[in-house]
Amino acid sequence: MLIGYRGTGKSTIGRLVARRTGRRFLDSDREIERRAGKSIASIFADQGEPAFRDLEAAVVEDLSAVDDLILATGGGAILRETNRRALSRLGFVVWLVARPETLANRLVRDEKQIRMRPSLTAAGTLAEISDVLAARIPLYEAAADLEVDTEHRSVAAIADHVTRAWLDWRAAHPTPSEAGGSPR
């Protein structure tokens, strides 16, 4: 399970970790768009953020019941307590972090991200990131089993670190079938 602000690399890292662990990868934002039949920006524009958060909660709840899954969530998925509980059911939660300046630079370079994601405040990109992060950091911290700084590290190095940590966690927390017991 990968959480963090947009631009931290959740989807990119998630795909690599899934490949390396033989798990399936899903991005909750892509699943929301698939179910809604429109982009997140369109959902925000047509129905507003509360409707988007309702869709997000339904998707996170559904995906938390899927076995063998590496899930990348949207940056605001941790805002609802129900989502945080669902994420913890999936197991190991990794929070990918970067400084607001780094995130702003990454987002500005990625035109697709800018088009697909609505602004959450009236502030400019850097001010918005700083404001939103200030509110979310305590939630990310509380939800995460591991915090991984994505500054000055290659995607491969980050994916290696997350994969090793996840495999160590799985070894210490086997499912009943992995531990030789029967599933409940």
Side-chain angles (χ1 to χ4, degrees):
M1 176 69 53
L2 298 165
I3 62 173
Y5 198 81
R6 61 183 171 182
T8 56
K10 298 180 302 283
S11 295
T12 302
I13 300 302
R15 280 186 197 90
L16 287 173
V17 172
R19 238 180 268 137
R20 293 171 183 186
T21 60
R23 306 282 190 209
R24 282 191 325 152
F25 170 77
L26 286 174
D27 180 306
S28 65
D29 283 349
R30 297 296 74 74
E31 181 62 15
I32 291 165
E33 290 177 331
R34 187 188 70 73
R35 290 184 187 189
K38 55 183 155 181
S39 71
I40 290 172
S42 294
I43 296 168
F44 267 74
D46 298 346
Q47 299 166 270
E49 185 174 359
F52 168 77
R53 296 293 173 203
D54 290 343
L55 285 168
E56 180 178 59
V59 165
V60 170
E61 181 65 30
D62 291 350
L63 296 180
S64 72
V66 177
D67 290 332
D68 296 336
L69 180 66
I70 301 296
L71 178 65
T73 63
I78 48 83
L79 293 172
R80 289 194 176 175
E81 175 64 30
T82 55
N83 290 347
R84 294 191 301 272
R85 282 195 306 268
L87 297 176
S88 70
R89 282 196 305 273
L90 266 172
F92 191 62
V93 178
V94 177
W95 174 28
L96 299 181
V97 301
R99 295 178 307 114
E101 296 81 8
T102 301
L103 295 171
N105 286 334
R106 289 175 183 170
L107 293 173
V108 168
R109 286 192 319 252
D110 188 349
E111 288 184 33
K112 181 180 175 190
Q113 279 286 339
I114 297 295
R115 282 193 317 275
M116 291 177 56
R117 299 289 188 269
S119 293
L120 299 174
T121 71
T125 302
L126 181 57
E128 175 181 303
I129 292 168
S130 296
D131 291 348
V132 172
L133 270 178
R136 291 181 183 176
I137 283 174
L139 299 172
Y140 288 135
E141 286 175 335
D145 296 300
L146 175 68
E147 177 181 337
V148 177
D149 188 345
T150 63
E151 299 272 345
H152 313 295
R153 297 172 81 179
S154 71
V155 168
I158 296 165
D160 287 343
H161 179 71
V162 170
T163 301
R164 281 192 307 275
W166 183 81
L167 290 171
D168 289 346
W169 185 88
R170 290 289 294 178
H173 301 87
T175 64
S177 62
E178 292 169 335
S182 62
R184 293 184 192 187

